Amino acid sequence: MLIVIGAIVVAITVYLMVKQYETRLVLFGAGMFLALCAGEPMAPFKAFSHAMQENKLFEAIIAVMGFAMVMKLTQCDQHLIQSLVKPLRKAGPLLIPGATLVTFFINTSITSSAGCSAAVGSILIPIMLAAGVHPAIAAAAIYAGTYGAIFNPGYAQVALVAEVAKASNMEVVSNHFMTMLATGMIGAFSLLVVALLLKENKGYVVPSDKQLPADFSVHPVKALVPLIPLVLLLLGSFGLVPALKQLAISHAMIIGVFVAFAVTRTNPQKISKEFWHGAGDSFGHVFGIIICALVFVSGLKSVGMIQAMTDAMVHTPAIAKISATFGPFILGVLSGSGDAAAVAFNRAVTPEAAKFGLSAIDMGSAAAIAGALGRSMSPIAGGMVICAGFAGCSPLESAKRNAPGMFIACCVTMWMMLYK
């Protein structure tokens, strides 16, 4: 009975979000209702407290949003945008898949989907908007590339598959390399097709209050400032500058703020105020949605929906191949976490892969990739919320545009990994 109630509440929640009711209210209310139905009224409050203590995610988000506000104050973001808009317009519709693939590459080093969304989205989304790309497509293009981390041998999901399959991390990455490459291309170019069909690849006009004077002159040094944190992070992540290896996203953003002051000589009091203004906004708007999403997920857990889906996959070996892909995929969509979905499957089912006539390394990678694909079209995923915030659109609108490509990519993952 609780499962039925859960399914009805999920349907109503999706409907209310489509109708653009206040996202935080809908998610928090749905989570509370489900928990009360399950007789666990404290579950949402525990999820709320747990989310408030997610200091690593919180640290990255507030620092990036604070940095973005400083870039806006100093107009360094506009110098970068204006310097790139003309050449990028020549790329035509390829700007959209190009942004996805660039994010895909960067995510191999900045492996947090939320952190990568914040670091890359703060630069590329405004550039895409200025080039005429619709906000929902611009946000979707960035988040569609945030599962490139599975290329990284040190990524937690790769390590888990290696442990279960009794293989090395490099063997796991080599095994799913071509599948990842294919799904990345599918996600990028499927979004382009969606943009062309909806005529959202060009024509968007930035609101007049955000436009610059016609005689705005680009300063090349100021144009480089927004790139400073990303360059520092990449130099450290790829080991090109060992001293930067331990540099956190938040630290890179703070360094960027100091560089902005040195280059523009803006009043430091104004810079401080804008940085903390951005930090506060990020908590209220971005992190607020993430908190409420976790409350909603706790409600789903309370009524047993997440566990029921996991059990169905475990106890249905006849459809093991479908379960290994679409099980984590659906869980990723519902929970906003590809890692949680894949870990649950790979811990419970993948060790028994031989019983289904499959190899553990293939089944494990399929589950990890599918979970990430599902998360990449989830309207409650933290990274999606961040990208939508930069674009000024609804997370659900961006998620809908990513859905066709992620679904097709999941089918291709199943075929390439489990039917080869």
Side-chain angles (χ1 to χ4, degrees):
M1 183 62 182
L2 286 177
I3 302 297
V4 175
I5 293 174
I8 294 172
V9 172
V10 168
I12 294 173
T13 301
V14 172
Y15 173 78
L16 292 176
M17 290 178 68
V18 169
K19 289 297 182 180
Q20 298 187 353
Y21 283 82
E22 213 286 316
T23 304
R24 288 162 293 191
L25 175 63
V26 171
L27 291 172
F28 194 93
M32 286 291 293
F33 179 78
L34 289 171
L36 289 172
C37 289
E40 297 183 21
M42 292 305 296
F45 296 110
K46 291 178 180 178
F48 182 89
S49 297
H50 177 72
M52 293 288 280
Q53 295 167 14
E54 287 286 342
N55 60 312
K56 290 184 179 179
L57 180 61
F58 176 60
E59 178 185 349
I61 292 174
I62 66 167
V64 170
M65 297 300 283
F67 176 73
M69 290 297 288
V70 172
M71 293 301 97
K72 183 178 180 181
L73 170 69
T74 59
Q75 290 196 322
C76 288
D77 60 343
Q78 292 300 332
H79 284 278
L80 174 64
I81 291 167
Q82 296 304 317
S83 67
L84 294 176
V85 164
K86 287 184 180 179
L88 285 175
R89 276 181 175 153
K90 294 179 182 178
L94 293 179
L95 173 59
I96 295 168
T100 300
L101 294 174
V102 165
T103 308
F104 198 66
F105 170 73
I106 292 174
N107 190 229
T108 61
S109 57
I110 304 177
T111 55
S112 162
S113 64
C116 185
S117 297
V120 180
S122 62
I123 298 170
L124 290 186
I125 290 176
I127 290 173
M128 296 177 75
L129 297 181
V133 177
H134 189 279
I137 292 290
I142 300 304
Y143 203 56
T146 57
Y147 63 96
I150 303 178
F151 272 130
N152 188 327
Y155 187 52
Q157 288 291 343
V158 173
L160 174 57
V161 174
E163 177 190 337
V164 172
K166 294 180 174 55
S168 71
N169 291 27
M170 281 306 301
E171 285 176 319
V172 173
V173 172
S174 299
N175 187 59
H176 65 226
F177 183 85
M178 294 306 297
T179 302
M180 279 289 294
L181 202 59
T183 58
M185 297 296 287
I186 289 168
F189 285 93
S190 294
L191 186 58
L192 171 60
V193 172
V194 170
L196 292 172
L197 290 174
L198 297 177
K199 297 180 180 179
E200 294 179 344
N201 61 303
K202 59 182 179 180
Y204 174 75
V205 179
V206 177
S208 57
D209 62 328
K210 295 183 179 180
Q211 292 182 1
L212 294 174
D215 60 348
F216 183 83
S217 178
V218 174
H219 190 294
V221 177
K222 291 181 180 179
L224 293 174
V225 174
L227 300 175
I228 295 295
L230 189 58
V231 170
L232 293 175
L233 290 168
L234 291 176
L235 289 174
S237 296
F238 287 115
L240 299 175
V241 181
L244 299 175
K245 187 73 174 177
Q246 301 301 318
L247 189 70
I249 291 174
S250 59
H251 303 160
M253 297 300 155
I254 292 172
I255 291 172
V257 169
F258 281 114
V259 173
F261 165 70
V263 170
T264 65
R265 298 294 180 181
T266 303
N267 187 325
Q269 293 187 88
K270 290 183 178 180
I271 287 180
S272 178
K273 287 179 181 178
E274 285 303 302
F275 180 87
W276 293 111
H277 179 209
D281 279 352
S282 71
F283 188 87
H285 296 290
V286 177
F287 206 68
I289 294 177
I290 294 173
I291 291 171
C292 293
L294 288 176
V295 170
F296 176 64
V297 171
S298 77
L300 293 176
K301 289 180 179 177
S302 294
V303 296
M305 279 198 70
I306 302 294
Q307 189 60 47
M309 293 179 67
T310 303
D311 290 343
M313 291 187 289
V314 174
H315 299 300
T316 317
I319 56 169
K321 293 179 181 179
I322 296 175
S323 297
T325 46
F326 282 96
F329 180 80
I330 294 170
L331 286 173
V333 175
L334 289 177
S335 68
S337 171
D339 286 352
V343 167
F345 186 90
N346 282 335
R347 285 293 186 193
V349 184
T350 301
E352 309 299 326
K355 295 180 180 179
F356 313 134
L358 299 170
S359 71
I361 194 171
D362 288 338
M363 179 176 268
S365 287
I369 296 170
L373 291 170
R375 182 260 299 152
S376 297
M377 58 168 280
S378 172
I380 64 173
M384 180 66 83
V385 174
I386 291 169
C387 290
F390 280 125
C393 65
S394 161
L396 183 61
E397 289 303 308
S398 285
K400 289 193 297 185
R401 285 158 174 79
N402 264 348
M406 297 302 109
F407 178 80
I408 294 170
C410 189
C411 293
V412 170
T413 297
M414 181 172 64
W415 175 66
M416 291 185 70
M417 296 301 303
L418 304 179
Y419 285 90
K420 61 183 180 180

